[in-house]
């Protein structure tokens, strides 16, 4: 009888846990960089984003344990500490989310090849989430590109991002 989570899927999901925690770390770094540059609204937005990423890691860890696997927390790699502008931070956000989407799709490819139905179901949530993450990052980046150089518009944009709910 096969177990819900076989060991190579367990290893791959633990790798994704680390990637999600690294994402949280990246957004936390962006948050404090934006804060130090006087963009409190963007700092808040990235802080909420970091919490979300930590939530993604938790979701995966809960699944690993429920499938009788073992959670293995690896060291978190260093992240960039500074960005030239909010636009650069949001451009990196979009680029990063595209990389995450690839990773989720690779996990799904693996689950499909393994006929691992439980993991496929669990990953469907992440696939939907990535569509939203990319869409949000793309929209915010497009706005920043449109208002580039306009300080008043930048102020309004920052105020708008301060309203993001946890
Ligand atoms: Mg994530």
């Amino acid at each position: 009888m096969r177990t819900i989570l076989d060991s190579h899927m367990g290893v791959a999901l633990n790798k994704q846990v680390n990637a999600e925690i690294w994402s949280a770390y990246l957004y936390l770094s962006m948050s404090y960089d934006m804060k130090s540059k006087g963009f409190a609204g963007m700092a808040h937005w990235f802080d909420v984003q970091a919490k979300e990423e930590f939530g993604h890691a938790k979701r995966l860890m809960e699944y690993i344990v429920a499938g009788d696997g073992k959670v293995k927390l690896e060291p978190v790699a260093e992240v960039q500490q500074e960005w030239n502008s909010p636009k650069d931070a949001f451009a990196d956000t979009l680029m990063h989310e595209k990389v995450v989407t690839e990773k989720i799709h690779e996990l799904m490819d693996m689950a499909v090849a393994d006929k691992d139905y439980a993991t496929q179901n669990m990953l469907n949530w992440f696939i939907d989430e990535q569509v939203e993450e990319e869409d949000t990052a793309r929209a915010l980046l497009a706005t920043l590109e449109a208002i580039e150089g306009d300080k008043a518009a930048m102020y309004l944009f920052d105020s708008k991002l301060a309203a993001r709910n946890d």
Side-chain angles (χ1 to χ4, degrees), residues 20 53 56 100 130 133:
E20 299 291 346
E53 297 304 340
H56 296 166
V100 175
Q130 282 313 117
E133 295 277 33

Side-chain angles (χ1 to χ4, degrees), residues 5 16 53 69 83-84 90 98 109 113 118 125 139 150 153:
L5 195 62
Q16 190 60 29
E53 297 304 340
W83 283 263
N84 285 329
F90 280 95
K98 285 182 173 178
D109 287 343
W125 183 90
D150 182 341

Side-chain angles (χ1 to χ4, degrees), residues 22-158:
W22 190 84
S23 298
Y25 224 48
L26 175 70
Y27 292 134
L28 209 54
S29 182
M30 288 179 178
S31 175
Y32 282 94
D33 187 41
M34 290 304 112
K35 190 165 250 182
S36 73
K37 290 180 165 75
F39 299 115
M42 286 181 234
H44 169 75
W45 191 91
F46 280 117
D47 186 63
V48 174
Q49 189 72 6
K51 282 181 201 152
E52 250 192 48
E53 297 304 340
F54 195 65
H56 296 166
K58 289 287 290 284
R59 188 180 268 264
L60 287 164
M61 289 190 273
E62 292 296 327
Y63 176 76
I64 292 167
V65 167
D68 203 21
K70 179 87 181 83
V71 169
K72 193 162 184 287
L73 293 172
E74 299 282 355
V76 184
E78 204 178 324
V79 290
Q80 190 172 326
Q81 308 287 343
E82 224 178 308
W83 283 263
N84 285 329
S85 66
K87 196 186 86 179
D88 281 5
F90 280 95
D92 277 4
T93 298
L94 177 59
M95 204 170 67
H96 176 62
E97 289 303 330
K98 285 182 173 178
V99 171
V100 175
T101 301
E102 291 265 311
K103 287 182 196 284
I104 298 291
H105 288 185
E106 280 167 22
L107 287 170
M108 183 58 110
D109 287 343
M110 202 168 151
V112 168
D114 286 358
K115 294 190 165 67
D116 178 346
Y117 304 112
T119 302
Q120 287 176 42
N121 272 349
M122 184 277 293
L123 289 172
N124 273 324
W125 183 90
F126 281 90
I127 286 172
D128 289 344
E129 175 69 11
Q130 282 313 117
V131 173
E132 210 185 293
E133 295 277 33
E134 283 194 28
D135 183 44
T136 305
R138 200 178 293 110
L140 292 173
L141 178 60
T143 304
L144 279 170
E145 279 167 350
I147 66 174
E148 207 173 8
D150 182 341
K151 283 192 173 165
M154 196 68 159
Y155 176 80
L156 277 175
F157 179 84
D158 192 58

